């Protein structure tokens, strides 16, 4: 069985990055009871799921798809919070709520959500790359 890569929990900030990390690795570690192999697997699954969700969010809006988009945002909100991607979870919640209210700002909130997905993707990639070294 291949050796599992360990994720560095000591500051997952990128050099020169003043923004808060996209992922709270302490939260993830608590959720997995410190099982780093499980953390790695969850991050890979989360990243893969996010790529699929981002593609669906980027697709042109169709009449009557607000409920499906709100349900997608709801799913994303839960998975983001489970792994400690709290900013992504907040963006998903804002988008979901705007869609359910019929808020005209939902397009801008969708852009914010996609940006948070991309930020989490970059951070997960860097974490996994560093863990494999």
């Amino acid at each position: 069985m291949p050796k599992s890569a360990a994720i560095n929990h000591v500051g997952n900030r990128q050099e020169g990055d003043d923004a808060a990390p996209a992922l709270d690795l302490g939260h993830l570690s608590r959720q997995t009871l410190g099982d780093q192999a499980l953390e790695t697997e969850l991050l890979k699954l989360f990243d893969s799921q996010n790529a699929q969700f981002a593609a669906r969010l980027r697709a042109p809006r169709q009449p009557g798809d607000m409920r499906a988009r709100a349900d997608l945002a709801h799913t994303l909100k839960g998975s983001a919070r489970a792994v400690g991607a709290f900013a992504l979870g907040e963006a998903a919640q804002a988008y979901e709520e705007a869609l359910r209210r019929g808020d005209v700002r939902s397009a801008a909130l969708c852009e914010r959500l996609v940006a948070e997905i991309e930020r989490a993707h970059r951070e997960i990639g860097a974490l996994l790359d560093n863990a494999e070294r």
Side-chain angles (χ1 to χ4, degrees), residues 3 29 38 40-41 50 56 61 66 78 90 106 112:
K3 181 180 178 248
S29 182
L38 180 57
T40 298
E41 186 65 24
N50 284 348
R56 291 171 60 189
R61 289 180 177 79
M66 286 177 52
E90 289 172 14
S106 66
R112 175 180 158 220

Side-chain angles (χ1 to χ4, degrees), residues 21-127:
L23 299 167
D24 180 340
L25 295 179
H27 174 81
L28 179 60
S29 182
R30 287 186 299 278
Q31 293 294 94
T32 62
L33 302 175
D35 183 334
Q36 291 189 337
L38 180 57
E39 291 173 15
T40 298
E41 186 65 24
L42 286 176
L43 287 177
K44 287 177 180 178
L45 288 170
F46 179 65
D47 196 40
S48 175
Q49 177 190 42
N50 284 348
Q52 294 171 14
F53 286 174
R56 291 171 60 189
L57 290 168
R58 286 185 187 108
R61 289 180 177 79
Q62 301 297 319
D65 74 348
M66 286 177 52
R67 180 179 176 163
R69 285 176 170 268
D71 291 346
L72 177 69
H74 182 81
T75 299
L76 185 51
K77 173 181 68 175
S79 62
R81 289 177 175 168
V83 299
F86 296 116
L88 199 161
E90 289 172 14
Q93 180 176 350
Y95 182 54
E96 175 190 7
E97 290 174 354
L99 287 170
R100 296 203 193 281
R101 285 191 317 266
D103 191 329
V104 295
R105 296 177 308 138
S106 66
L109 293 171
C110 182
E111 289 177 23
R112 175 180 158 220
L113 176 55
V114 170
E116 285 297 332
I117 290 171
E118 291 169 351
R119 188 167 80 97
H121 173 71
R122 287 189 304 273
E123 193 166 303
I124 290 168
L127 286 168

Side-chain angles (χ1 to χ4, degrees), residues 1 4 8 26 28 52 54-55 59 66 78 91-92 107-108 112 129-130 133:
M1 197 141 104
S4 173
N8 179 3
L28 179 60
Q52 294 171 14
M66 286 177 52
R112 175 180 158 220
D129 284 348
N130 287 336
R133 291 180 193 179

